[in-house]
Structure formats: C-alpha cells, structure tokens
Amino acid sequence: MSSLEIIDLKTHFPTPDGHVRAVDTITLSIMENETFGVIGETGCGKTVLGLSVMRLLPPTATIAGKIRYAGRNLLEVSEAEMRRVRGEEIAMILQNPTTSLNPVIRVGEQIAEAIRLHQGLNKRDAKKKAVEMLDAVKIPSPAERANEYPHEFSGGMKQRVMIAMGLACDPALIIADEPTKGLDVTIKAQIVELIQKVTEKKAMLLITHDLGVARELCDRIALMYAGELVEYAQIKEIFENPLHPYTRGFLGSLPDQGLVPIPGISPSLIELPDGCRFHPRCKYTTDVCKQKHPEMIEVAEGHFVRCFHA
Amino acid sequence: MLEVNGLTKHFSSGILQKQHVKAVDGVSFRIKAGTTLGLVGESGCGKTTIGRLIMRLIEPTDGQVLFDDIDLLTLKKRELRKIRPRMQMIFQDPDSSLDPRMTIGTSIAEPLKVHGIVPKHERSQKIRELIKTVGLSPEHVNRYPYQLSGGQNQRVVLARILAMNPDIIIADEPTSSLDVSVQAQILNLMKDLQKKFNHTYLFITHDLDVVRIMADRIAVMYLGKLVEIGETHDVFGYAKHPYTQALLSAATRMKPGAERKKQTLLKGETPGPIDMPSGCRFHTRCPRKKNRCMIEEPELVEIKGGHHVACHFI
C-alpha cells in the first residue's frame, strides 16, 4: 500500500523576473516501509518538493496538484489540521542541525515541546520521553545531555537530536532533507546506520545529492533535473542499468566512476529549455528533443524514464 | 621543492585559565615539484591550518617551511611579499573568494596590477588568454560573480591564480561546495593545468574519492598529527594505520559501486583538541588499542619505501 502519493505537483514562485518553476509536475508514490530517494543537484527543486509535502512554503508560492496521505489531500486540509499532521504523522529532518535547533533552549526541552504539543503529556512525562528518545538515537548519558544546550553538542550529535525530535511522536512518514550534509565521513556512516535502523518500519522520502547515502538507505531512487523527475527505478536497477543521459552523466561524473563531467550548467528554473529540459547538455540530442517534451515511460517493470531515446 | 619540517601551531584561549589548542603538532612532509600531495582528515584535524601556515597567513609556533631551500618562516615581510606570487591558494567557497563589486575582468587584473607582472597595455590581452585557459568565454569578462555559477566562479579564481604564474598551489577543499558534475569539471581542469604548467599542489580535502584521483602521495591527519603518509596507491591499497583503515571503510560504505556489506564503524567522535588524549591521540577510538597506546605516543615509522605510519602495532 502506498503511504504518500504525489500527483502532478507543481510548486511555482512568482518573482519580478518570472515564474520560478521549482517543482514542475512531479508524480510519485512511496509505499509503506519504503525509502524513496530523490537525487538532484543544487537548484533542481528537490528541497522545495519536501517542503511542499509539509506545506512549509512562503505564502507567495503557488501549489497545484494533489498530495495524498492517509486518505486525504494534504493541499486541501485546514492549517490547524496540517499542524497536527506535521510531527504526528509526517516528520521532517532538515539539513544543517545547527540552525535548526534553538540555541537558547535546552536540548531535552526542545524535544519535549513536540511531545507535549502532540501527545498531550505533562511536563514531567514529556521530559522523560525526551530522554528516552535521546537514548534511542544513541546519545551517551542521555539524562545529563538533555539538560545541555545545542552548542555543547558536536555536529553529529546535533543531527542525532534532530532525528530524535523527528521520531518523538512516532510518525509513519519521514521526510529527510540532506540529513548527512556537512558531516565527516566516519560520523556520516554512523548517522546513516542510525537512520537505517530507526526508519525500518516507516516510509521515508530522502532528499539528497549524495548517491552513496542514497544507495545505503533507499529502496527506490528518482533523479530530479530542472524541476521534474527524469528517471526512477529500484536502486539496483539505477546503478546497473541507468537509461536517462542525465542519470548516466551524474553517475559518470563521480570521482570513482571516471570523473567525466556533464558539459554546461543546469538551466535556470525561470527560463526552462523547450522540449526536453536536458537537451542543451545532452550528447544524444536530436530534433525531437528540441521540440517535444518527453513523457515518463515505463521501459521495464518499475523502471520509468523521461527520454525519447531510452 | 616544498619541504615542511616539524610545523607546529598552538593557539591559546581563555583569559584566566589559559588553554592550549595544539592545532598542528610537529608535521613534516615533502612535495616534489610538479606533483600533488593530498592532505586528508576530518573537520578540526588541523589540515586547513597547515595550508595557512605554509602561506604564512598565520604565524607558526615552531617549524620550518622550505621552498626552493628558502625558509619562508624566517623571511621578512618584504621578502615574503616578493615570493608570494609563486605560492597561491584556492579556497572552498568561490563566491566569497571574489569581490562581489568587481567584474570578473577587474578581479583577474588586480593581481597583475598589484605585482606589476604584465604591462598595462598588454593586460586585457592577458586577461582574455587566462579566461580562455580556464574554459570561460570572453563575454564573461564584464560580468559580476553573482551572474556566474559556483563552478564558473571557481574557474575565475583559478584564472586569477594563473595570472601570478605560481609554482605552488594550495587548494583547500576547492570543490566541496560544488555539485558532482561541476566538481568533475574543476578537478579535470586542475589536472590539465598542472600538466601544462608543472604546478605543485597541496590538495587539502576530506573527500577520499577526490584525493585518490588527484594526488600522487597522500598524508592522513588526525588531531594535529600525521598518522600515515605514502604513495596514493599504498595508502589506499595497503592502509596500515587503524584510522586510515576506518576512514576508507566508512567511505567505501558510501560508494555507489561497492558491495553493501557490514563494516566495523568507528565508535565515538574526535576528541576536542584541548583535552588531547595521552599517548596515541587515536587511542580513544581505536579498535586495536593496548595499554602502551595510552602512555606512549607513536612516531612515524617508515615501513616500506616512502610509506610511513605512526602506530605501535603495525
């Protein structure tokens, strides 16, 4: 059964220079217990995708399409209901824990706050639960650490706190946006292992640019380019049989895969190229790529590609 | 060509209770002309400090930096200024390395002007040449940094550096703020430039995959000290220090092509440089620690031609 279903999602930002089409018609569904990765480079719209699901966008943004979760369209529920959904049903783990934690509130209290609000526990019980959560994310001596402030935690520890906070109300779906960004390799490996363990029985949308992390955590991954998905399949299939030229280019530009760069730069989300959005950088471009926008087609079971030549 | 001997930098903090941070503690290495030494380590290990010490952007506590047999650390300001053009540095964030109010052309012209390298009437010709060398087009000359992407700005930084015609380039995480497809462009450009101009690189990074393709030799740093140094092939293929092994194992877990298997993860985190562990600095996280490690600090020992390791149990 699918946990989250995103149908024809369009998130645009009107600006004086034109419409920024950050998310431009994305359709995907995430099964229960599944981790679905969205991989993309800076400015492809992947963070906006996560924020759209949580409805955490500035009021200027225009959102169209459907986001189906637990039998309703999240784009239509009231703000009060949405506030309950956030944290209780869907939690978000953000990148950069240093700016996501309040520097003047004790770590334990920050976790307890969410628990008090959503689960109606009293102060003492919430605090106890917060300590349990810190223990669950393997923070040593959690009872003492709960009374410390964020600056007393290292980067890896802060990310553990963010994960504890996200899991505090036992949500069924987690949206994690670059949860390992800025961490050292040995710490990153620890956090990946922790995320793997705590999300085993949950659905997760993992947004990242790091294929290595995606490979560890995801069941399926999608490649996102210039506001749309260009390919998605089971993780193994993407690595063994990448079909979209962007996916191939992305894999080939990795240092241990040949370091062959993709020529050119990603287009601006205001002036997207006609036809296939990747055509100005693609070496297989033909006339049809310049004129028509390719649809997502299923080339093998569960393997979807947006390319005329796949 | 570049030789660093016993380089040390201690920072002190606190007013009443002075605390000393041994950011760099007796580091020695040599880089042959035209080759690349990769300096690898996690945040806070002192790798950036080493780059800055060599450039004398900060003054070392002790040690020697020999550049063509000249000890840079004893040079007076004026002499240092004369030699500086021959050593250049690239930083992590290209956007903040460039003056946002200067056009690309002005930015590249500045070092030419300051050091009087190229006469005024030849300057614009030289700028066009440099722009072309780093793979930008002439129309970029009149643009501002905000109009360019991160990768393009890093190319501008490289053009500025090439303007000085340096011998040594210290690159401190030059691609860590770039996307992988752009990172590949910049790394390839740096390799091409090295071949063309015979640059000597000190390549500072935390990214093992990057250093593997860029460096001839690799030095691994932990809490202010080198724990292992050797040919890239030896360090990656026959890593001897438990920390190097842990780094490699953590990184291969992430590698797209690698087998998905359980590996022993390093427990805990790097201790703060203020309360430095006694004996071997790595003993608090080392899977192979014995009593001796807590008391006695291991020296770098050569185990094979040019491959040095600092561990009691190799």
Side-chain angles (χ1 to χ4, degrees):
Chain A
M1 236 196 61
S2 62
S3 164
L4 176 76
E5 235 181 307
I6 298 175
I7 303 157
D8 291 335
L9 182 70
K10 279 185 207 214
T11 307
H12 294 180
F13 299 90
T15 70
D17 298 327
H19 258 53
V20 178
R21 286 143 73 182
V23 172
D24 206 34
T25 324
I26 281 196
T27 299
L28 65 87
S29 65
I30 302 176
M31 302 294 145
E32 280 172 15
N33 299 342
E34 184 189 40
T35 297
F36 189 96
V38 173
I39 317 289
E41 297 184 280
T42 315
C44 75
K46 57 189 192 301
T47 293
V48 173
L49 173 66
L51 293 174
S52 302
V53 176
M54 295 300 272
R55 272 178 50 188
L56 287 173
L57 293 166
T60 51
T62 57
I63 313 181
K66 287 194 186 94
I67 298 175
R68 303 200 66 83
Y69 182 79
R72 60 208 192 281
N73 180 359
L74 291 185
L75 296 181
E76 283 166 359
V77 304
S78 67
E79 187 48 42
E81 170 72 0
M82 199 57 213
R83 216 171 296 146
R84 204 187 56 70
V85 170
R86 290 183 204 120
E88 225 169 300
E89 296 182 45
I90 309 176
M92 193 156 192
I93 300 171
L94 296 160
Q95 54 180 308
N96 205 346
T98 307
T99 50
S100 304
L101 290 168
N102 188 331
V104 296
I105 299 179
R106 291 174 208 275
V107 164
E109 273 167 44
Q110 297 194 46
I111 301 173
E113 186 188 3
I115 299 169
R116 276 206 328 267
L117 280 172
H118 287 294
Q119 303 189 331
L121 294 184
N122 64 36
K123 234 178 165 169
R124 237 184 67 214
D125 291 345
K127 177 84 187 292
K128 222 177 103 202
K129 178 92 193 283
V131 173
E132 280 171 31
M133 290 314 299
L134 287 175
D135 191 38
V137 295
K138 302 258 175 58
I139 291 202
S141 37
E144 288 92 74
R145 298 293 274 183
N147 287 322
E148 293 182 2
Y149 291 93
H151 76 266
E152 297 172 271
F153 284 62
S154 68
M157 287 292 171
K158 275 185 235 175
Q159 194 52 277
R160 284 172 195 269
V161 172
M162 295 300 292
I163 294 169
M165 214 180 251
L167 295 173
C169 301
D170 198 21
L173 173 68
I174 292 172
I175 296 172
D177 189 358
E178 303 271 19
T180 57
K181 198 175 184 179
L183 301 177
D184 280 324
V185 271
T186 57
I187 307 301
K188 186 154 106 176
Q190 292 172 359
I191 296 292
V192 165
E193 195 182 58
L194 174 68
I195 293 178
Q196 206 162 29
K197 220 185 89 206
V198 295
T199 59
E200 216 173 358
K201 300 229 158 52
K202 295 181 191 300
M204 174 157 78
L205 173 64
L206 175 72
I207 295 161
T208 182
H209 70 282
D210 189 329
L211 265 181
V213 169
R215 183 174 191 273
E216 284 290 320
L217 292 172
C218 298
D219 301 296
R220 282 190 297 158
I221 57 171
L223 274 290
M224 187 165 174
Y225 184 79
E228 65 183 6
L229 302 186
V230 294
E231 178 164 10
Y232 65 90
Q234 296 289 326
I235 185 101
K236 214 171 151 228
E237 178 78 4
I238 291 279
F239 279 103
E240 285 171 8
N241 188 23
L243 292 174
H244 197 284
Y246 177 66
T247 314
R248 289 188 190 174
F250 193 94
L251 288 168
S253 65
L254 294 172
D256 60 332
Q257 305 278 316
L259 202 74
V260 183
I262 305 175
I265 52 170
S266 303
S268 136
L269 293 169
I270 295 176
E271 288 168 87
L272 291 166
D274 288 334
C276 172
R277 290 177 190 174
F278 189 59
H279 91 254
R281 303 175 73 187
C282 183
K283 56 181 171 190
Y284 305 106
T285 302
T286 55
D287 283 344
V288 63
C289 308
K290 294 177 192 163
Q291 287 147 13
K292 273 176 69 182
H293 184 243
E295 293 294 319
M296 211 48 150
I297 44 166
E298 188 167 12
V299 286
E301 204 195 335
H303 190 164
F304 291 80
V305 185
R306 192 188 291 280
C307 177
F308 292 116
H309 307 296
Chain B
M1 151 59 92
L2 182 76
E3 191 177 335
V4 171
N5 289 322
L7 195 61
T8 301
K9 177 69 187 178
H10 293 182
F11 293 103
S12 40
S13 68
I15 300 166
L16 298 175
Q17 281 176 302
K18 276 253 187 242
Q19 286 177 312
H20 292 281
V21 177
K22 296 177 178 173
V24 175
D25 208 10
V27 168
S28 306
F29 57 77
R30 234 179 299 174
I31 317 177
K32 259 197 251 155
T35 67
T36 301
L37 176 75
L39 185 58
V40 186
E42 296 185 282
S43 39
C45 75
K47 55 187 192 299
T48 294
T49 308
I50 286 191
R52 289 168 182 267
L53 288 172
I54 294 174
M55 293 297 286
R56 267 184 80 182
L57 296 175
I58 45 177
E59 293 296 327
T61 312
D62 198 12
Q64 230 184 359
V65 177
L66 297 174
F67 172 44
D68 277 350
D69 298 323
I70 306 162
D71 188 350
L72 294 181
L73 305 187
T74 59
L75 290 185
K76 300 220 170 61
K77 272 235 162 90
R78 272 183 55 193
E79 299 164 319
L80 186 66
R81 212 176 129 85
K82 249 196 267 169
I83 210 162
R84 272 250 173 83
R86 296 178 61 196
M87 328 170 43
Q88 292 293 312
M89 200 158 178
I90 311 174
F91 298 95
Q92 178 171 346
D93 184 5
D95 301 342
S96 54
S97 307
L98 295 169
D99 188 327
R101 292 171 306 174
M102 277 189 193
T103 61
I104 301 311
T106 320
S107 264
I108 300 173
E110 207 190 18
L112 295 174
K113 224 186 289 175
V114 171
H115 290 277
I117 294 171
V118 179
K120 204 171 175 186
H121 61 278
E122 287 171 23
R123 239 174 246 156
S124 60
Q125 173 61 28
K126 178 78 182 165
I127 291 167
R128 269 199 301 273
E129 236 171 73
L130 289 166
I131 287 262
K132 224 181 108 197
T133 315
V134 297
L136 293 171
S137 39
E139 78 245 24
H140 288 121
V141 172
N142 295 321
R143 302 239 179 109
Y144 287 91
Y146 76 89
Q147 295 170 305
L148 269 54
S149 69
Q152 287 172 325
N153 277 331
Q154 200 62 298
R155 286 176 195 269
V156 175
V157 171
L158 278 167
R160 241 167 93 95
I161 285 171
L162 292 178
M164 315 298 299
N165 203 9
D167 296 309
I168 297 182
I169 296 179
I170 296 176
D172 190 358
E173 306 266 17
T175 58
S176 57
S177 67
L178 305 175
D179 279 321
V180 281
S181 68
V182 181
Q183 164 174 290
Q185 295 172 6
I186 297 296
L187 293 178
N188 282 326
L189 175 63
M190 286 185 68
K191 284 178 92 165
D192 292 345
L193 293 174
Q194 182 175 37
K195 247 185 250 157
K196 209 162 153 190
F197 300 107
N198 202 36
H199 292 142
T200 305
Y201 283 149
L202 175 63
F203 199 101
I204 301 169
T205 182
H206 69 280
D207 192 325
L208 290 160
D209 291 332
V210 166
V211 84
R212 184 175 199 158
I213 47 161
M214 293 301 288
D216 303 292
R217 285 168 64 75
I218 288 180
V220 183
M221 202 168 170
Y222 187 77
L223 277 181
K225 284 216 152 179
L226 295 189
V227 296
E228 185 157 2
I229 179 168
E231 301 287 322
T232 303
H233 169 78
D234 288 335
V235 173
F236 274 92
Y238 310 96
K240 287 286 185 277
H241 197 281
Y243 178 63
T244 315
Q245 290 171 347
L247 268 184
L248 289 172
S249 128
T252 33
R253 276 172 66 87
M254 300 296 168
K255 208 174 273 172
E259 274 302 299
R260 251 178 142 166
K261 60 179 177 208
K262 280 273 158 223
Q263 269 148 325
T264 39
L265 285 184
L266 214 50
K267 294 265 174 340
E269 304 194 5
T270 317
I274 290 177
D275 43 305
M276 195 77 81
S278 62
C280 173
R281 295 173 183 200
F282 185 58
H283 86 251
T284 51
R285 300 172 80 193
C286 184
R288 280 193 247 150
K289 121 188 131 168
K290 302 242 162 56
N291 275 338
R292 185 176 167 199
C293 306
M294 291 185 252
I295 307 154
E296 201 184 320
E297 191 158 5
E299 294 286 323
L300 267 179
V301 181
E302 185 159 14
I303 55 161
K304 196 191 136 209
H307 189 178
H308 296 73
V309 183
C311 176
H312 293 307
F313 302 98
I314 36 163

